[in-house]
Amino acid sequence: MEKIKIAFFDTKPYDKKSFTAVNEDFGYEIKYFKNHLNPDTVSLAKNYDFVCAFVNDDLSGEVIMSLAEYNIGMVAMRCAGYNNVDLKTAYQNIHITRVPAYSPYAVAEHTVALMLSLNRKTHKAYYRIRDNNFTINGFLGFDMHGKTAGVIGTGKIGRLLIDILNGFGMKVLAYDTYPNKELEKSAKAVYVTLDKLYAESDIISLNCPLNSKTYHIINDDAIAKMKDTVMIINTGRGPLIDTKALIKGLKTRKIGSAGLDVYEEENDYFFEDFSQEVITDDILARLITFNNVLITSHQAFFTQEALLNIATTTLNNIRDFREGKALVNEVCYKCDDNCRKLKGGRCF
Ligand code: NAI
């Protein structure tokens, strides 16, 4: 019997390692392409049965329609977010699945790592000590205990983050368009309006998805409503923050510090080695110059447990499609409470 063939885009060594190991139980033929998926590279997917793509692949309408022409039945996203997929074009042309939760712990924990590093400057202490400089000037932090954190988005990651922040003895204010009922009843956090969250939080964390309502949710207006020297952490998606407004806030010292695991225009840079190149993105270059900004390259998800879950769920999604089963991890632009998927079917 001919093997099922998967065209795997934007491959990194760790992807290949985890997928190759998990694929031993599935037996698919996986071709690992280093290229990003985009209109120039989509033809590589010809003669394959499935495409596997990641956060910075381009799944615009043009690419989707090419994949549909090549009779690709499904794109298996190996990530949670799908803001890079033109779902409207995909509807009734190609199924899209994702990995809704691979390790919310990984992202919540990385969010806290950014907070602690920015507060206590451990990333700077490391370099100072290597230089035999044992001074502590400039490393003055604050007790997180007793401070107020504002969490925007109380889904899987946001709720775990709240648990950790509770452990520090922080007061937590939360905002979500769909408040979680259990959280609402608990003493862990108080749901408030965005304005109140901005006005009272010492640290603000973005844990909501990127969509038309959350695009640039942190902009000039929002920043103006925040406490002076607020810390902003974004492990959600880059475009949640208007980066120009963030830079303005950092320059005026309104924003005390920022921890960014994601960046608006990250596609060209994140996950790649530019150590021998010139950064031509002036906004990213400016962000990097701030001594109170800590950028990580979309690594919040990156734990052993997450990689194993990503590979297992992605290949399971492909198997479910092959076997005609319901696609529990399908996404489409029409998904709502009456979704056929929820009734054990497929979006279309
Ligand atoms: P989730 O779907 O469990 O929770 C998202 C929450 O955001 C939901 O409660 C939803 O109601 C809320 N939300 C939606 N629109 C909102 C709005 N306009 N304002 C406030 N809240 C809103 O998702 P999960 O797993 O907690 O992930 C959150 C986001 O984290 C993902 O969408 C993804 O963009 C990002 N992420 C980042 C990773 C990284 O490596 N940096 C890895 C995984 C996810």
Side-chain angles (χ1 to χ4, degrees), residues 54-55 79-83 98-104 106-107 110 151-159 175-180 191 194 206-215 217 234-238 240 261-262 271 298-302:
F54 195 50
V55 289
C79 50
Y82 45 87
N83 49 282
R98 64 171 182 145
V99 183
Y102 26 92
S103 174
V107 185
H110 190 77
V151 176
I152 301 180
T154 55
K156 292 177 285 298
I157 295 169
R159 293 203 302 280
Y175 174 78
D176 196 304
T177 37
Y178 297 96
N180 178 276
Y191 279 105
L194 262 186
L206 300 173
N207 300 102
C208 54
L210 173 64
N211 55 40
S212 56
K213 288 200 184 112
T214 58
Y215 176 80
I217 190 169
N234 187 8
T235 55
R237 283 289 180 267
L240 295 174
D261 186 53
V262 286
F271 304 113
H298 208 138
Q299 69 171 78
F301 76 98
F302 197 48

Side-chain angles (χ1 to χ4, degrees), residues 25-269:
D25 291 339
F26 291 82
Y28 299 136
E29 186 179 318
I30 306 180
K31 175 73 180 170
Y32 294 99
F33 294 110
K34 284 188 177 161
N35 317 59
H36 278 138
L37 177 62
N38 60 41
D40 296 331
T41 60
V42 66
S43 59
L44 291 170
K46 262 186 200 163
N47 302 322
Y48 285 84
D49 303 295
F50 294 92
V51 158
C52 181
F54 195 50
V55 289
N56 290 332
D57 286 313
D58 168 358
L59 283 140
S60 55
E62 182 185 352
V63 172
I64 298 268
M65 289 317 292
S66 298
L67 294 176
E69 260 173 49
Y70 307 152
N71 288 321
I72 305 278
M74 188 177 98
V75 175
M77 300 298 294
R78 55 180 190 280
C79 50
Y82 45 87
N83 49 282
N84 53 332
V85 184
D86 180 344
L87 289 181
K88 212 165 185 175
T89 304
Y91 190 68
Q92 295 190 330
N93 282 311
I94 196 161
H95 292 271
I96 309 286
T97 53
R98 64 171 182 145
V99 183
Y102 26 92
S103 174
Y105 301 99
V107 185
E109 289 168 13
H110 190 77
T111 305
V112 178
L114 289 174
M115 288 178 190
L116 288 171
S117 305
L118 279 170
N119 179 14
R120 308 305 297 271
K121 286 98 178 163
T122 43
H123 54 308
K124 294 184 183 188
Y126 173 79
Y127 285 106
R128 203 180 277 187
I129 299 291
R130 283 174 70 97
D131 207 21
N132 295 344
N133 178 350
F134 297 93
T135 63
I136 59 172
N137 308 325
F139 291 166
L140 188 66
F142 56 85
D143 286 5
M144 306 243 307
H145 178 91
K147 297 291 182 307
T148 301
V151 176
I152 301 180
T154 55
K156 292 177 285 298
I157 295 169
R159 293 203 302 280
L160 287 171
L161 174 64
I162 290 169
D163 284 343
I164 300 173
L165 299 179
N166 280 173
F168 286 157
M170 295 189 83
K171 176 181 171 190
V172 182
L173 302 178
Y175 174 78
D176 196 304
T177 37
Y178 297 96
N180 178 276
K181 294 210 165 60
E182 272 178 37
L183 185 63
E184 215 164 24
K185 280 188 250 156
S186 78
K188 293 178 180 180
V190 183
Y191 279 105
V192 293
T193 61
L194 262 186
D195 279 1
K196 190 170 164 68
L197 184 148
Y198 291 148
E200 295 183 13
S201 301
D202 300 290
I203 300 177
I204 294 175
S205 176
L206 300 173
N207 300 102
C208 54
L210 173 64
N211 55 40
S212 56
K213 288 200 184 112
T214 58
Y215 176 80
H216 283 187
I217 190 169
I218 302 300
N219 54 22
D220 284 323
D221 282 352
I223 292 169
K225 291 173 187 162
M226 292 177 192
K227 267 187 164 176
D228 288 346
T229 73
V230 61
M231 179 192 288
I232 299 179
I233 307 286
N234 187 8
T235 55
R237 283 289 180 267
L240 295 174
I241 297 184
D242 174 353
T243 317
K244 285 186 180 156
L246 180 78
I247 289 174
K248 225 187 288 171
L250 285 159
K251 282 163 86 173
T252 59
R253 309 281 177 141
K254 175 80 181 172
I255 298 171
S257 56
L260 310 173
D261 186 53
V262 286
Y263 163 63
E264 271 195 274
E265 302 297 332
E266 71 181 48
N267 290 19
D268 291 338
Y269 290 96

